[in-house]
Structure formats: structure tokens, C-alpha cells
Amino acid sequence: MVREAITSRTRRKFIKSAGVAGTVALAGCAGNGDNSGNNDGGGGDSTNTDGGSSGDTRSESYEITFWELFSGGEGPIMESIVNKFNEEQPLDTDAEVTINRQRTPWNEYYNKLFTALSGGEAPDMAIMHAAYLRAWDGGIDAIGSYADTASIKSDYTASHWDLVTVNDNVNALPMDMHPIGVYYNKDLFEQAGLDPESPPTNWEEFRQAGDAVVQNTDAHAFTQSPYNDGFGSYRVWSSWVKQQGGSLYDEEWNPTFDNEAGQNVAQLFSDMTGDMGWSKPTSEANWGNNAFQNGSCAMAMNGTWYVAALANVDGLNWGFFEPTVGPNKQQDKVWADGHSIVLPKKQGRSDAKSEIAAEVAHWMTTQNPSWGAEAGHLPAANSIYESDAFQNSPYYDKTLNKYVEMAEDGDYFYHPKVPNGDPNAQNWYTWLVDIWAQNSEPQEAIDSGIQTVSNGISE
Amino acid sequence: MGLRKETIEGVLWSIPYLAVFTVFLIWPALKGLYMSLHTYPNKFDLTETEWVGLQNYVELFQDPVFYNAMEGTLLFVAISVPALVILGLIMALGVNRDVAGKRTLRAIYFSPYVLTVAVVTLVWGQVYSQSYGLINYYLGFFIDNPPGWLTSPDLVMAALAFMTVWWLVGFNFVIFLAARQSIPERLYEAARLDGATGWRAFKDITLPQMRNSVVFVVMVQFILQFQVFAQPYVMTQGGPKDTSDTLVYYLYRSAFSQQQFGYGAAMGYVLVAILIIIAIVNFKVIGDSND
């Protein structure tokens, strides 16, 4: 397939260099590949969206439809990247390539993408969390079919490349990685008699810090997730389970988290809102986010993206530390997932257009330091790590350098790429919220969680 | 031959409606039935189907999540439908009297009904909030730890139903008001001459005269409230402890999150069967003696 990609591009270049007016139609064929059914012949139609010939100075034009799910601080950055592409036309091709971006809110995104895919109306290019790359295997064209993955592999860090690889197939190009960490309120640390510049590095210090906040201030000590959506709780819970050496799934993708480590951490969640008094026992969705942002909660665990939300809060004096502070720790393990760019399967999309889409995905993931520098994510491209834009990011010293450090130490484990079902489904993890809100006993909740997740995967 | 012409004209006039009815109702309903008897082995290609007969239905009736969702739905219906009907009736009879500002009251009663469910759920999400909501703000003056309306397993369905009644009661109110106003005053005058007023007049004149409207409203509310979806979807995601899960929300999750279209369609058909049974019972119980 790689050879085909090169051949097709070479053919287009040859046709253009010949400069013969009569080859316009041929160029149309080359550009349109196997999709001649959608092309009305091309002549003079400069807005042809499927790679037909325009007969203009640029002999081809492609409109790549692109779906994404970014909101908050990330949304405008993705928008600016797309605008930059459309203005600069950075690809090494004479064809005019434009990206037509469509944003759908994250909680509706995958349902909508799935419906579009199964209805044959998929976009040419889409953002996808790496955790979906196995379950969605049948719905995406492996990027290796349209890009020379052997030669671009070295553009990305090994851990990101690993993130998008399923059963030795490279299913997508990695955009970023977004692990979690602990965000803390320096002013509350000071009030509690703690050194705000020396945040906890292990369980004993973390426990002491939380207790000090509860004893010496009016604030709450900790929220396991700002959003109480279950999934947020899972990031923390699974990290601490893995830190204790517990497993989450076996090789057949049966959930195994009803083990000693899983039970310990579930009990800890229950204690945090119970005996330890660290937090309010609530399932209220935004309680933690409000409490952390208005300065009445000292510590919140969340992902890389949280910097964009915190940047908009005036007067919040916050710091960050690594979340490797779970009890009974045997190893440093931190939950991570990442955004990748996939080419959803779409009948009738020409090979040429798929190749262009793969090139666009490569450009987006390797040429845009702003994605890491401004959105706070760990960028996938090696070159960006060394770029001035990334190193001079306002978040570099606050969060990014610690995320990089954890990556270099190999601390990350990935959100399970389950073979079926929705690994980000909220109802897979609501049992954790029920523990937190003291609605369920830990063991009862774990049993219910095992049941839900098993059903979700087997369906 | 005149009749024949009339018939042809009638059929012609019906065609636009029947066409829309067929395309948007009959065809999807048949398609749904077909789906409920199949599974889709390749969820990314819905042209691949596999005949499974009644297997989806059999699985459904063995599924604890389905029963939990059914329980939630029944609880929601049990709270909301009587409240919607009785409150609508009381409000209509109340402002039918010569009370001061009755026109303003009518406008106020009806106004929530014009809001979309998205607005209603957003506003009430704020009102119900445990830590900064309006209700708990005022309750905080009297009790130390006001409850979490959407976060307590015991309260959540009542809270969703209360909000729904506030939102939808205006519709019933308008129907009942129109029905009450169409009752001839002479009936009440005659009753007064015979010495019947108050409760007696309500029981023997108002209610029987309004029977058609009551049957209509009860029926519509059963059908609507059985399909409750957006409230748990937006406000609680079925929690806490799955106590606010409902049939249509589970149907949505099965079909669009778990991509089990056959299973979701089967659930849709079970829902239709329940609604048909309720409609028949409704007619038997309160509608049958209407002559």
C-alpha cells in the first residue's frame, strides 16, 4: 500500500508537469482514484470536494472533513491549527487541500461518529481516544495503508507510537498523551502549615498533607475527580491499584479488579469521604471542580487538560505534583490515554484522498507545538519536545516538565483498549462515585462494577 | 357515482398525510421490528444482519438492568402522572373562578411548558444542586445538612418527577380549563336550585362533563412520562446507584453506546406493548362508561 501511495503521488506530479491542457481529465482520474462515481467530470469545478480536477492553476482540490471533540481551553487551539493549515497549505502538493472542521461535544461525539460511520457518512479524518482503537478496529482504515509508517515512526516518541499500536498494527497517528496528576492549592497548603513548594512525594506525606488541611483550615483536602463522572474517579483509582501491583484485566479482557489492591483503594475512597473527613460524600457532578476552583478544596486529581481550565481562574495559586502517592506503593504507575487521528472507513473515498488525509494527520501531529504548549498535553512528536514553543510554554515548569519526567521514567499505563464496548462509558464507573458518595459499600460496589464492565465488553 | 367521486377526493386529500405517516412512522416501525429480530455482528456495517428470532426479547426479560430501568420508570410515572393530572385540574378549576389576576395566573401557569427540556434540566440542575442550589440555600437556614436532591438514591426520582410536573403541568391546565369552560352554566344553576353545591357539584357535574379531557390527559401523560429520557440523561446519568435509570435511557445506551441495535429495538417494542396495555386499561377504567 505504501508503494501505491508513492506511485499515485508521482503520477499526479507527472501529469501536472506535462502541462498539457488535455490531461486535465486524466488528472481528475488520478485525483479521484476509485471514486469516479462522485465526480461529475471536474472541468472548472474548483469546489469539488472529493479530489476532482479543477482545471485551475491548482489541478486538484480536496476538502478533508475532520471531526473533533475539543472544548474549553483546547477548542480554540485546535481551531487555530486548522485555520493555519487552510491558510498556509503546508503539504508538499500542488493540490489545494482544505480542512472542514466539525466539533461535537465529547459526551455525544462517539455516538455521533459511530452513527455516521455505520450509516456510510463518516468524516475523512477524526480525533479518537487511543482507548477506542481496538474496539473501533473494524471502523477505521489503518493509517499504515496510506502513510509510510516505517519512515514516519521516528517522528514520534516511542511511548506515543505504542499508544496507537494495536496487535502490531498502527491504527492511527498519535496527537498527544494526557496522563493525570495532582493539582494543589498553594495558599491552602500554607494555611495548613505545609510548605507550598514541597508537595507530597509519597503516601505518608500525602496523608499528612490531607490531614493537615482538614485540621488546620476550613477547606476540604481532596477530590478524586473534579467532575465526579465516574470516569474521573477511575483514573485515580486505577492508578493507585496499579501502584499497589493490582491488575485491572486479564489477558482475555475479563475485569480482574476485585483483587486486594482494588479492594484497598475502594476502601480508601470510602474512608476519604467517611472517617478521614477529607471530602464531602457527594455524587454531585461539579462539586470538586467548584470547590477546587473557588479555593475550598486543597487537592484535585485530573488530566493534563486541566491547565486550560485553571488558567481562567483569577487568584488561584496552584501547583502540581506527580500522582505516585498511593498507599502500599510497589511501583510508579499513572493512568494515561491520548488523542489520536484516525481515518474512519468511508465507502467511495478515493485512495488519493485517504493519502492526503494521512498527510494532513501527520502535519497536525508533528508541526503544531501549540497543541502541547497551550493545551497542556504531552505532544506526540519528538521535534516538539525540543522546540522553543514547547519549552517556553507557560505550563512547562508547572506541569509539563513533570509529565515529561513521568514519561521518561516509563510510569504510564494506558487506559484499557478493550476489544468491545465503550471503555469511556460513564456507567462503567459510576460504582466508584457511589463509593465516594457513601451510597454503596466498597465490596458491593466492586461487584456491581465487575458486572457492568463484563456485560459491556461481552455485548 | 357521487359517492365514488367523494371517495376518490377523500383518498387524494389523505395521500400527503398517509405518505408522511408511512415514511416516518410505519416504515421505521416495521424496520424496528425487523431489527429487534436480528443482531448486527459487524457494528460498523449495518447491512450485515443475523436472524436471531426472539432471542433479543428473551435476553431482555432476563436482564437485571432492564428490570431496574423498568422499576425506575414505573416509580417516575407513579409520582408524576397523578401529580400532573390532579394539579392541572386544581389549577384549572382555581383560575376558572372569578379570582383577581386570573389572566396573569393563567400565563404564569402555562409559561414553563414553552421551555425546552434542555433549558429545564439546566435550570433545575442548578436549583437542585446540593452545595450551591437555590433550594438548599434556603433550607440551610433551618437545617444543617440539606439533602442532595439529585444525589440521594431515595430522593432522586421524586426530584426529577417534581421538576417534570412544574415543566409540563401547564399543558394539562390549559386542556382542563377549556373543558371546564365548555360546561354550560345552566347545569350548575339547576344543581344549585336542587341544593347541590361544592363537592357534590364537582363530583356529579364537573368531573363527568370533563371526562373526555381527563381520559385524554391521563393517556397522554402516561405515554409521555413512560418515555422519560432527557431528565436522567442530562441530570443524573441514571445515578446515584442506578436509581434514576429509565427504560428509554437504557434503550438509548444499548443502541447508541453499546451499539446493540437489535436489543434496543426489542426494548422499544416492549415499551410500545406496555403503552398499548396502559391505553386499553385506561379506556376500560375511566373512559368506558362514556356514552
Side-chain angles (χ1 to χ4, degrees), chain A residues 94-253:
Chain A
D94 287 341
E96 180 172 345
V97 181
T98 49
I99 303 174
N100 179 0
R101 184 182 67 100
Q102 185 187 324
R103 193 189 84 79
T104 302
W106 143 246
N107 58 349
E108 293 162 31
Y109 179 77
Y110 285 103
N111 290 351
K112 200 169 166 186
L113 182 60
F114 172 78
T115 313
L117 234 167
S118 53
E121 296 295 330
D124 299 309
M125 198 170 82
I127 293 288
M128 182 168 283
H129 284 84
Y132 286 107
L133 289 175
R134 193 190 307 269
W136 285 64
D137 201 16
I140 52 181
D141 285 328
I143 203 113
S145 307
Y146 300 105
D148 184 357
T149 44
S151 70
I152 59 175
K153 181 180 176 181
S154 57
D155 294 345
Y156 300 92
T157 72
S159 51
H160 283 81
W161 198 251
D162 174 33
L163 188 67
V164 295
T165 307
V166 178
N167 297 336
D168 298 328
N169 292 321
V170 181
N171 280 11
L173 290 187
M175 180 97 191
D176 63 55
M177 208 191 284
H178 48 240
I180 54 167
V182 193
Y183 298 78
Y184 73 101
N185 184 320
K186 290 187 173 181
D187 293 341
L188 282 176
F189 262 47
E190 200 155 6
Q191 271 181 44
L194 301 158
D195 178 359
E197 302 308 328
S198 304
T201 55
N202 57 43
W203 169 247
E204 285 69 32
E205 291 171 12
F206 182 62
R207 170 97 204 214
Q208 281 164 13
D211 288 345
V213 169
V214 173
Q215 281 158 17
N216 304 329
T217 74
D218 293 333
H220 297 280
F222 179 66
T223 178
Q224 94 295 11
S225 157
Y227 315 118
N228 245 344
D229 52 355
F231 187 29
S233 314
Y234 178 80
R235 297 181 190 121
V236 179
W237 178 83
S238 61
S239 296
W240 286 348
V241 170
K242 294 283 267 190
Q243 284 176 26
Q244 291 194 24
S247 70
L248 301 168
Y249 291 89
D250 67 14
E251 284 180 356
E252 266 96 47
W253 292 103

Side-chain angles (χ1 to χ4, degrees), chain A residues 392-413:
Chain A
N392 296 333
S393 159
Y395 308 123
Y396 192 80
D397 292 336
K398 275 191 124 162
T399 64
L400 284 168
N401 63 345
K402 296 177 188 76
Y403 282 125
V404 169
E405 192 178 294
M406 287 189 279
E408 284 169 358
D409 293 345
D411 290 351
Y412 298 133
F413 73 91

Side-chain angles (χ1 to χ4, degrees), chain A residues 366-390:
Chain A
T366 55
Q367 304 296 318
N368 291 286
S370 61
W371 187 245
E374 293 170 39
H377 293 307
L378 273 184
N382 280 321
S383 59
I384 295 180
Y385 277 99
E386 280 112 47
S387 72
D388 286 346
F390 184 67

